[in-house]
Amino acid sequence: MRMDKNDCKYRKYIELLKKELVPAMGCTEPIAIAYGAARAREVLGGLPAHTKIAVSRNIVKNVKSVVIPNTNGLKGIDAAAAAGIVAGRADKELEVISAVPGDKKREIKEYLAANTIEVETQEGDLLFDIQIEMCKGEDQVKLRITRSHTNIVYIEKNGKVLLENSCEEAKEKEDGVDLLTVKDIVDFAECADLEELAAYIEPQIQCNYAIAQEGIRGTYGANIGKVLLNSQEDTVQNRAKAMAAAGSDARMSGCELPVVILTGSGNQGIAAAVPVIVYAEEMGSSREELIRAVAVSDLITIHQRSRIGKLSAYCGAVNAGCASGTGIAYLQGGRFPEIAHTIVNSLAVVSGMICDGAKPSCAAKIAVSVEAGILGYHMYLQGQEFRGGDGIVTKGVDETIYNVGQLGKDGMRETDKKIVDIMMGCVSKE
């Protein structure tokens, strides 16, 4: 039975795509810091002489090793804050430092050298938490972002509260994700108004393929995309992996091209779409077929990630890379049976890959996850499958996704803490 366009579920799916598919310049965690710093500076009314930033441990993990765009190669929480303070436009949100002239790039480094930006780790239950305090003369501003990248929950100036929302009561899950099922996602993709879908998905296709092409042209990170193209046969399968990896190569190394993010992550936005684009080019697919296939990949990524949360020890590339296999299956005429088996088969292979922060190796993890997604589909085509009871796989695709969600959110909680301890050098060698 086809989904009715007047159904509440149909509208929720459209709203999820609208909310999740947004443009961002740079890795989203440092950009969230830059956004918060830019907004706090606006409230302060000038450049602060002193800034203090307290962040949750997962923020440390995802900022430590990634290059911040438009800063001439700077890394780190203090650099992200300085970029927002000196050159940020808070009204552009996750594109807060997308337009920084050359003199401002130099000024960011000079500001860092001349002013104090204290950074400390914030302990607590919130995985995503950024608290900023700034002062200039007698003026002081406090600002807090929690749960998601632009979710400002508190602003205070000189003791007067300007904005206050309860971060403790905020929902971890996005509205509508509990309505997601693989069958309904396929039905939605079949019947959704094409132009309504295109409004959100075409920017993802254009932006994310552009940065993938730049990753192949330029020299970024460990150049995983180029390594794959130079070391393996010229097949559509290898190009799909290579192009997705190349997009991450560029993004993790400070490329100044925008990316349309998915579930708060540029890498996931790339991994969900770029392999599907490569296959569509190879097959000569129509615009409509490509848009509907990417919608499948996007929504299945959201379905998986909503069970885990935006930050976890579970690598988000797994969710998006495996989902890309379902988009490829859809392009080739696959519907619910093919897509369900593709996702179960692929998750059985790569679930449990750790997230140890944003950095060049994310590109390789994307390539491995896309490979798993394609393998999952090819297994179905050849009559092969992993069955319920094989490890964490259980009967039913949505039930398997639920199991993986438990693994990523609850089972890997202690793993997440240990990863951050290792990255911060807090683990004894004795």
Side-chain angles (χ1 to χ4, degrees):
M1 183 176 176
R2 297 277 290 249
M3 185 182 291
D4 189 325
K5 293 181 182 180
N6 296 316
D7 191 305
C8 171
K9 189 179 290 186
Y10 178 94
R11 297 313 315 167
K12 290 292 186 183
Y13 282 23
I14 290 289
E15 289 167 14
L16 277 173
L17 290 172
K18 179 180 179 180
K19 187 167 186 177
E20 293 287 356
L21 294 171
V22 296
M25 165 74 80
C27 180
T28 46
E29 278 71 49
I31 293 305
I33 292 171
Y35 167 67
R39 182 73 183 98
R41 182 211 69 222
E42 289 178 354
V43 176
L44 187 65
L47 297 180
H50 181 269
T51 301
K52 180 179 178 180
I53 302 177
V55 298
S56 55
R57 292 159 63 89
N58 279 74
I59 299 295
V60 175
K61 182 174 76 172
N62 284 303
V63 178
K64 179 176 179 289
S65 302
V66 68
V67 176
I68 302 159
N70 285 323
T71 64
N72 290 331
L74 297 178
K75 298 179 182 180
I77 291 169
D78 57 346
I85 290 168
V86 172
R89 285 186 51 187
D91 62 302
K92 295 175 73 68
E93 295 192 333
L94 293 181
E95 294 181 286
V96 59
I97 54 170
S98 61
V100 179
D103 59 330
K104 286 289 184 180
K105 294 179 185 180
R106 293 189 297 273
E107 191 177 331
I108 292 168
K109 188 173 183 178
E110 292 168 359
Y111 180 85
L112 268 175
N115 295 274
T116 303
I117 300 181
E118 292 183 48
V119 177
E120 65 180 40
T121 303
Q122 178 80 14
E123 300 296 335
D125 294 332
L126 288 173
L127 298 178
F128 196 114
D129 196 20
I130 300 168
Q131 299 184 43
I132 300 172
E133 296 183 20
M134 291 180 177
C135 63
K136 175 179 179 285
E138 296 183 356
D139 292 326
Q140 183 184 54
V141 168
K142 296 180 181 180
L143 180 145
R144 187 177 190 185
I145 297 174
T146 66
R147 304 281 185 190
S148 61
H149 299 81
T150 57
N151 184 38
I152 296 176
V153 297
Y154 187 83
I155 301 176
E156 173 191 312
K157 182 175 183 181
N158 297 334
K160 181 180 179 180
V161 176
L162 306 179
L163 171 71
E164 185 171 22
N165 295 321
S166 173
C167 60
E168 303 305 325
E169 295 176 1
K171 291 182 180 179
E172 182 103 33
K173 289 186 178 180
E174 304 290 349
D175 185 31
V177 295
D178 288 334
L179 298 175
L180 290 168
T181 68
V182 173
K183 185 178 185 308
D184 284 344
I185 287 169
V186 177
D187 290 345
F188 168 81
E190 287 276 86
C191 74
D193 180 82
L194 180 62
E195 296 313 311
E196 194 167 24
L197 277 184
Y200 310 116
I201 290 174
E202 279 197 333
Q204 180 188 17
I205 292 169
Q206 298 299 323
C207 290
N208 296 6
Y209 200 55
I211 199 170
Q213 292 171 313
E214 173 59 23
I216 294 295
R217 282 193 298 266
T219 298
Y220 296 97
N223 294 295
I224 300 301
K226 287 182 179 178
V227 169
L228 287 168
L229 290 182
N230 292 335
S231 62
Q232 297 185 21
E233 292 182 11
D234 182 22
T235 63
V236 63
Q237 182 171 336
N238 190 50
R239 291 198 303 276
K241 295 186 297 181
M243 293 300 289
S248 179
D249 284 329
R251 182 171 173 78
M252 294 295 94
S253 296
C255 177
E256 294 168 8
L257 289 176
V259 165
V260 172
I261 68 173
L262 181 64
T263 66
S265 164
N267 278 336
Q268 289 176 57
I270 291 167
V274 168
V276 185
I277 298 167
V278 173
Y279 267 80
E281 285 188 341
E282 175 76 8
M283 296 167 58
S285 301
S286 68
R287 168 181 176 267
E288 177 175 353
E289 290 167 333
L290 174 58
I291 288 170
R292 294 190 188 282
V294 173
V296 169
S297 184
D298 285 343
L299 285 167
I300 288 181
T301 301
I302 295 168
H303 185 21
Q304 295 174 76
R305 201 65 199 173
S306 69
R307 284 11 185 210
I308 297 170
K310 284 185 168 61
L311 297 178
S312 167
Y314 187 102
C315 176
V318 169
N319 301 124
C322 292
S324 74
T326 70
I328 291 165
Y330 187 92
L331 271 183
Q332 298 188 18
R335 292 304 180 257
F336 175 70
E338 294 88 345
I339 286 167
H341 282 84
T342 295
I343 197 66
V344 170
N345 290 340
S346 57
L347 287 175
V349 176
V350 288
S351 288
M353 185 187 294
I354 66 165
C355 171
D356 52 343
K359 64 212 172 305
S361 68
C362 292
K365 294 183 181 186
I366 285 174
V368 170
S369 299
V370 172
E371 171 73 27
I374 296 170
L375 172 63
Y377 177 49
H378 286 174
M379 285 178 62
Y380 176 83
L381 293 178
Q382 297 182 40
Q384 305 299 320
E385 63 177 307
F386 298 119
R387 301 180 183 276
D390 291 347
I392 62 173
V393 172
T394 193
K395 185 176 181 179
V397 60
D398 297 298
E399 290 73 18
T400 296
I401 289 172
Y402 176 80
N403 284 355
V404 172
Q406 285 187 305
L407 171 68
K409 184 175 182 179
D410 301 323
M412 298 180 75
R413 196 177 296 275
E414 289 302 315
T415 302
D416 202 31
K417 294 177 182 177
K418 185 58 68 175
I419 289 169
V420 178
D421 283 344
I422 291 170
M423 291 179 67
M424 296 174 65
C426 301
V427 176
S428 172
K429 295 181 181 179
E430 296 180 4

